[in-house]
């Protein structure tokens, strides 16, 4: 079996690269919603929701007294004291990649190394609000370039499977957080359900996970309905950022490790139970028990699965 520290570096390298992309997507949503007319009182929490979704509200409030768009963007992109900033995330991903340089293909390493070298050349003072969308697109493209290099050049061995585990554990976590923030925080008043701002926010949530066109194709002529958006991002395996799609890939990666090692552990059952529960899930039951509670439970169990995978394969 692979050394624990090698498995850890591969797992976290991919997890951090996925996280960088997700952070860019969260910032894009905050930026797009902030451009909406501010006439509707009580709906300007887009940057607070961005911080909450990124699990960075506490670290931000330790440093700043007020929440402003430029300040939040700078904190989540450049701030070296913020371990969740894009710069911190990509630096950590590169350090993990460098630790296992010989386990990577040349394409994978060059992708991650080039991303870092180009990122450090970006100056915070030059990233004006009108340039922010271009920069966020660049972060997403670099993450996709890294993922493409992994998928297109790495052998389907332990290196690949640990990398995929990190990727899809992170993606499942982020999709659940984005959906939870929209449903629980951005629109707290039941009377606003179905309003223009509600519809616009659901559209932005879909765009944040690159699911806008896919949703319109999948649910033809249905418009943005919370019920359907939640179903698309939770239960539809056709959607590559859904909880079910991510869980299925976690199971595939674990099955790959099981086949290589001729050994099966309790984490395999744990992951398959989550996948099967999602596969057999019904939105009626989820909404009846509470979407926020459902998503919070998923986030906790996904984090527990990540810890258990680490304990099983000897890495933190």
């Amino acid at each position: 079996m692979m050394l624990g520290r090698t498995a850890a570096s591969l797992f976290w390298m991919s997890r951090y690269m996925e996280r960088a992309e997700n952070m860019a997507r969260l910032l894009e949503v905050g930026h797009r919603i902030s451009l909406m007319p501010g006439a509707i009182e009580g709906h300007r929490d887009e940057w607070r929701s961005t911080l909450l979704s990124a699990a960075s509200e506490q670290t931000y409030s330790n440093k700043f007294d007020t929440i402003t768009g430029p300040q939040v963007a700078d904190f989540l992109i450049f701030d070296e004291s913020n371990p969740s900033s894009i710069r911190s995330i990509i630096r950590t991903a590169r350090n993990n990649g460098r630790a296992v340089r010989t386990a990577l293909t040349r394409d994978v390493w060059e992708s991650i190394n080039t991303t870092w070298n180009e990122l450090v050349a970006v100056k915070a003072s030059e990233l004006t609000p009108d340039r922010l969308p271009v920069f966020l697109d660049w972060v997403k493209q670099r993450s996709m370039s890294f993922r493409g290099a992994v998928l297109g050049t790495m052998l389907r061995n332990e290196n690949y499977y640990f990398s995929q585990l990190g990727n899809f554990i992170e993606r499942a976590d982020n999709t659940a957080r984005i959906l939870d923030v929209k449903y629980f925080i951005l629109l707290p008043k039941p009377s606003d359900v179905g309003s223009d701002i509600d519809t616009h926010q659901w559209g932005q949530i879909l765009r944040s996970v690159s699911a806008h066109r896919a949703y319109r194709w999948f649910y033809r002529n249905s418009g943005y309905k919370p019920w359907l958006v939640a179903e698309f991002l939770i239960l539809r395996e056709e959607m590559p950022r859904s909880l079910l799609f991510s869980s299925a890939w976690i199971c595939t990666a674990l099955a790959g490790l099981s086949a290589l090692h001729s050994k099966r552990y309790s984490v395999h059952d744990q992951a398959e139970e989550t996948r099967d529960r999602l596969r057999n899930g019904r939105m009626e039951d989820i909404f009846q028990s509470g979407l926020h509670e459902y998503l919070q439970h998923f986030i906790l169990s996904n984090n527990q699965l990540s810890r258990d995978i680490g304990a099983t394969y000897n890495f933190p």
Side-chain angles (χ1 to χ4, degrees):
M1 184 183 291
M2 177 182 284
L3 288 174
R5 62 174 179 272
T6 303
S9 293
L10 290 162
F11 178 89
W12 285 105
M13 174 190 68
S14 285
R15 187 160 182 177
Y16 279 118
M17 286 304 290
E18 178 74 15
R19 188 174 297 180
E21 179 180 344
N22 292 330
M23 188 64 76
R25 292 179 182 279
L26 284 173
L27 279 161
E28 186 179 20
V29 172
H31 177 69
R32 283 177 178 271
I33 294 179
S34 72
L35 298 179
M36 292 175 62
I40 305 176
E41 190 178 352
H43 289 288
R44 302 322 304 254
D45 280 345
E46 60 274 2
W47 292 113
R48 187 175 74 88
S49 70
T50 301
L51 288 168
L52 282 167
S53 188
S56 299
E57 189 189 30
Q58 188 59 53
T59 50
Y60 179 89
S61 62
N62 290 341
K63 193 167 182 177
F64 302 103
D65 296 326
T66 58
I67 296 178
T68 65
Q71 209 162 257
V72 171
D74 184 74
F75 182 70
L76 293 181
I77 294 172
F78 295 108
D79 199 318
E80 298 275 0
S81 68
N82 173 19
S84 297
S85 71
I86 288 175
R87 179 170 286 183
S88 297
I89 290 169
I90 293 180
R91 181 184 56 208
T92 308
R94 179 177 177 270
N95 288 343
N96 276 290
R98 188 167 54 186
V100 289
R101 172 70 187 85
T102 56
L104 305 177
T105 63
R106 178 179 175 181
D107 298 88
V108 172
W109 169 248
E110 286 189 351
S111 174
I112 199 168
N113 194 44
T114 299
T115 300
W116 172 249
N117 289 335
E118 291 182 5
L119 177 63
V120 294
V122 179
K123 293 181 172 57
S125 58
E126 297 174 352
L127 196 61
T128 53
D130 60 312
R131 293 181 178 176
L132 181 62
V134 175
F135 172 78
L136 297 176
D137 279 344
W138 175 81
V139 174
K140 289 188 288 182
Q141 287 166 6
R142 294 308 306 170
S143 177
M144 285 187 270
S145 168
F146 165 79
R147 194 160 54 245
V150 170
L151 291 173
T153 65
M154 286 183 70
L155 283 175
R156 269 43 178 176
N157 56 14
E158 290 174 301
N159 301 343
Y160 173 79
Y161 292 127
F162 281 116
S163 172
Q164 291 300 287
L165 282 173
N167 187 84
F168 286 102
I169 288 276
E170 183 66 27
R171 184 177 296 183
D173 178 87
N174 187 259
T175 297
R177 288 179 187 277
I178 286 178
L179 192 53
D180 193 34
V181 164
K182 166 64 185 93
Y183 194 79
F184 190 65
I185 298 169
L186 272 179
L187 198 70
K189 291 192 300 183
S191 60
D192 291 326
V193 174
S195 65
D196 287 346
I197 193 167
D198 183 39
T199 301
H200 185 81
Q201 285 177 346
W202 281 114
Q204 294 304 336
I205 293 301
L206 285 168
R207 285 188 175 87
S208 76
V209 291
S210 298
H212 179 248
R213 289 191 180 182
Y215 174 90
R216 299 298 293 267
W217 181 87
F218 201 83
Y219 300 102
R220 292 181 176 85
N221 304 318
S222 295
Y224 298 130
K225 296 178 179 174
W227 187 283
L228 296 181
V229 175
E231 178 188 70
F232 200 46
L233 297 184
I234 295 174
L235 302 179
R236 301 307 313 189
E237 197 162 2
E238 300 90 335
M239 170 56 200
R241 305 194 77 83
S242 74
L243 303 190
L244 176 53
F245 184 92
S246 300
S247 293
W249 264 94
I250 291 168
C251 290
T252 299
L254 284 170
L257 290 174
S258 176
L260 285 172
H261 300 152
S262 301
K263 230 170 186 180
R264 185 181 167 89
Y265 301 97
S266 61
V267 289
H268 293 83
D269 297 330
Q270 199 176 329
E272 288 172 7
E273 283 173 13
T274 300
R275 179 201 59 196
D276 293 345
R277 192 163 52 248
L278 288 163
R279 195 168 273 166
N280 298 319
R282 299 190 320 148
M283 288 314 299
E284 292 90 339
D285 299 332
I286 293 173
F287 271 96
Q288 195 166 25
S289 61
L291 181 59
H292 171 65
E293 290 75 12
Y294 179 88
L295 292 170
Q296 284 296 306
H297 174 75
F298 179 87
I299 291 168
L300 289 174
S301 64
N302 189 54
N303 287 339
Q304 185 60 51
L305 177 62
S306 176
R307 287 192 292 272
D308 291 344
I309 289 171
T312 300
Y313 292 101
N314 302 314
F315 65 86

